[in-house]
Amino acid sequence: PLEMDAVYELLLPADSRFHRDGGATKQPIRLSLSGLVPFAFPFKQATIPTISYMQFRPRYRRYTLWLRHGLAPSTSLASLSSALSLAPPLPMTLSRPTAASLLLEAAFDPDTTYTIHVDADAHVRDGFGLPLQASFSTFTTATVNAAFELPAVHYGRSE
């Protein structure tokens, strides 16, 4: 079996046959492949890049987390949720809209910096039985679109 988190290179020389019903290769073929990657959330960024156009800025009160290998049947959303935290602290809910994603919902304020922390937990397993690894991501939420901002006017008076 392939080792976890290792990259391999497969070289098929010219005139190779890898199936009895297939023809020979005309030229050498070089392929990269890997074993399973550890169970950690593949965040877009760990820290906020200094170049603004490269910054990940979620717009809404939702943050989608990708599950590369799904979750083991024995892993509950409650156990996974207990490994997640936000700083500054906010109440959050976690749901699983698809087998390969989680939806974290919280009352994120616009234009505010948050860090999501994931604690390692040997009891939280992915679909291949790999334990959850620690990870984190720091991001700043997007500003509110000016079309949705209301002027501070009350009963005909501006404030």
Side-chain angles (χ1 to χ4, degrees):
L2 300 177
E3 294 293 320
M4 184 175 74
D5 208 23
V7 177
Y8 299 89
E9 191 169 284
L10 176 65
L11 175 63
L12 296 173
D15 284 332
S16 293
R17 292 181 183 271
F18 54 91
H19 191 274
R20 63 185 164 92
D21 294 335
T25 58
K26 293 182 180 180
Q27 57 191 8
I29 298 174
R30 188 178 303 265
L31 301 169
S32 292
L33 54 123
S34 70
L36 293 173
V37 295
F39 178 24
F41 290 104
F43 291 117
K44 291 184 184 289
Q45 65 187 32
T47 58
I48 299 173
T50 55
I51 302 170
S52 63
Y53 74 84
M54 296 179 70
Q55 295 175 5
F56 172 63
R57 293 181 61 109
R59 290 183 185 242
Y60 303 103
R61 295 178 177 220
R62 297 173 194 89
Y63 193 119
T64 301
L65 302 169
W66 183 42
L67 293 168
R68 284 185 181 115
H69 307 146
L71 289 176
S74 61
T75 298
S76 68
L77 280 181
S79 63
L80 182 55
S81 184
S82 67
L84 303 176
S85 62
L86 290 169
L90 283 177
M92 62 180 167
T93 59
L94 195 63
S95 60
R96 191 171 177 200
T98 69
S101 68
L102 296 171
L103 184 64
L104 183 150
E105 295 180 88
F108 295 119
D109 287 324
D111 202 27
T112 303
T113 298
Y114 294 95
T115 300
I116 181 170
H117 295 274
V118 181
D119 296 328
D121 189 330
H123 301 290
V124 175
R125 303 258 172 183
D126 72 4
F128 287 105
L130 301 174
L132 180 63
Q133 304 293 307
S135 58
F136 72 95
S137 177
T138 300
F139 59 93
T140 301
T141 52
T143 56
V144 173
N145 186 324
F148 295 108
E149 292 185 47
L150 299 174
V153 176
H154 297 285
Y155 304 105
R157 301 185 317 236
S158 291
E159 290 185 2

